[in-house]
Amino acid sequence: MPLRFLIIGPSPKNSLNTADLVREIEQRGHSASVCSISKLLFLYTDNRYSFFLDGVNVVESFDILIPRSFQKNIHFARMLVQLFQKNNKVVLDSIIGGRDMAGKIFQASVFAQHNIPHPKTLATLSLKSFEKNLEQLGLPLVAKPIQGSQGKGVLLLHSKETALSFFKDHRQDYFFQEKIDLTSDYRVLIVGGEVLGAIERIAPPNDFRTNASLGAITKTHEASPEMKNLALKASQALGYDISGVDVIKTPVGYLILEVNHTPQWQAFQSSTGVNVAEKIVDFALKQQRSLSI
């Protein structure tokens, strides 16, 4: 029986990842609809709530939900996921229904609980505390947006004066990490507990960021068992079904930079030849079969 997928995210015209998913779903004989989280209508009536898309009840009309972009209304997304789960429907990532997706500071706390190595990280709203503890990170230090992706807004602060000035204006929106002197890092892609592979991302000239969207060179990388196990451990600690795990190698071993729950996979796919959308749809259908038993 054909299944109906609902993808929350940008349209196939604006996202190659979305286009990959839609094409893979339709090639299997199923249907796929795409909408932004802002297009959904929440309605509470008669002691229950529902979500509608163009007048259609989404939980009654779709079998599988794949939220890909919802950060601007994460509470809407969480309620939607919970409703799908209550009706015994498949959701990737299902963890959204249990809590908000882990922000980058929260990730650091999870990594500490699971003994996962991570760069030194500092977050505070107090200028006095920031200045007092700045030396623990050293200079230069990296300023990262609490909510951000693809390296956007990530800055390198070279002096104490620059760091203090930046902190005064951005303390609500940024956290800070030690700068590790490397010219590349690794992205490990994981779907449904399976490590699909890894790529090395080499920073462009005169930049310390390794995001492919910013011009980094990518190439396939044969990940060691240690790298695979650590990446998988980090992804599972956060409860993600789909993840891109950023790993760096230092003289003392591997560190996890962060785990992305809606990773972009075009650079990974072009480097490794792995059809990521195929793996995601395979996993979704496997989850659907397990619910039907």
Side-chain angles (χ1 to χ4, degrees):
M1 176 184 298
L3 298 171
R4 300 157 297 178
F5 287 70
L6 176 61
I7 301 170
I8 303 296
S11 73
K13 293 181 180 179
N14 298 323
S15 168
L16 293 174
N17 288 177
T18 302
D20 286 349
L21 284 170
V22 171
R23 182 167 52 252
E24 188 65 34
I25 290 166
E26 292 178 347
Q27 285 177 351
R28 309 286 189 95
H30 307 296
S31 64
S33 296
V34 181
C35 77
S36 69
I37 193 76
S38 63
K39 296 295 184 181
L40 296 178
L41 169 71
F42 172 90
L43 179 64
Y44 177 93
T45 181
D46 298 327
N47 204 32
R48 57 177 292 187
Y49 75 90
S50 303
F51 280 93
F52 292 87
L53 175 62
D54 297 329
V56 175
N57 187 308
V58 296
V59 174
E60 294 177 357
S61 302
F62 296 97
D63 305 295
I64 297 174
L65 175 66
I66 304 180
R68 289 284 302 166
S69 179
F70 52 83
Q71 284 75 11
K72 292 183 178 180
N73 202 334
I74 195 167
H75 302 298
F76 241 43
R78 188 176 185 184
M79 291 186 293
L80 178 64
V81 168
Q82 289 174 345
L83 200 56
F84 266 75
Q85 291 174 317
K86 182 179 179 181
N87 285 271
N88 205 34
K89 303 279 180 90
V90 172
V91 182
L92 310 180
D93 278 291
S94 57
I95 190 65
I96 305 170
R99 58 160 168 76
D100 291 347
M101 300 304 282
K104 295 177 182 178
I105 300 173
F106 180 75
Q107 285 192 12
S109 72
V110 173
F111 295 156
Q113 294 171 43
H114 290 82
N115 196 31
I116 296 169
H118 183 63
K120 294 177 183 177
T121 301
L122 174 62
T124 180
L125 297 179
S126 166
L127 176 61
K128 183 178 180 179
S129 294
F130 178 74
E131 184 174 10
K132 182 178 179 180
N133 292 279
L134 193 57
E135 64 183 31
Q136 296 198 45
L137 299 186
L139 290 167
L141 61 84
V142 180
K144 292 185 175 182
I146 293 174
Q147 299 294 336
S149 62
Q150 299 182 336
K152 297 175 182 177
V154 177
L155 301 171
L156 197 60
L157 306 178
H158 292 274
S159 69
K160 181 178 180 179
E161 293 73 21
T162 301
L164 292 175
S165 176
F166 182 86
F167 178 85
K168 290 176 184 178
D169 294 330
H170 300 89
R171 68 184 78 188
Q172 297 277 359
D173 305 313
Y174 273 75
F175 70 103
F176 304 86
Q177 286 186 333
E178 64 176 317
K179 170 68 168 62
I180 299 174
D181 292 327
L182 296 169
T183 57
S184 68
D185 67 3
Y186 305 94
R187 164 61 63 90
V188 180
L189 209 64
I190 298 171
V191 175
E194 177 189 357
V195 176
L196 304 186
I199 58 172
E200 182 178 8
R201 306 185 300 184
I202 303 168
N206 303 316
D207 201 338
F208 68 100
R209 296 169 297 178
T210 56
N211 305 81
S213 60
L214 298 176
I217 298 171
T218 63
K219 61 181 181 179
T220 187
H221 176 74
E222 186 62 40
S224 67
E226 182 184 358
M227 180 188 288
K228 291 180 181 179
N229 291 337
L230 184 60
L232 188 58
K233 182 179 180 181
S235 180
Q236 291 177 336
L238 292 165
Y240 294 161
D241 296 323
I242 305 165
S243 62
V245 185
D246 295 343
V247 186
I248 56 176
K249 188 175 183 179
T250 74
V252 297
Y254 291 110
L255 298 181
I256 299 295
L257 283 179
E258 63 183 66
V259 181
N260 301 276
H261 65 270
T262 53
Q264 304 298 306
W265 60 71
Q266 295 304 316
F268 175 91
Q269 189 163 275
S270 63
S271 297
T272 64
V274 175
N275 185 335
V276 179
E278 178 182 54
K279 296 291 186 178
I280 293 173
V281 174
D282 280 344
F283 180 65
L285 295 177
K286 180 181 178 181
Q287 296 296 98
Q288 176 67 25
R289 289 191 295 270
S290 68
L291 289 179
S292 303
I293 297 176

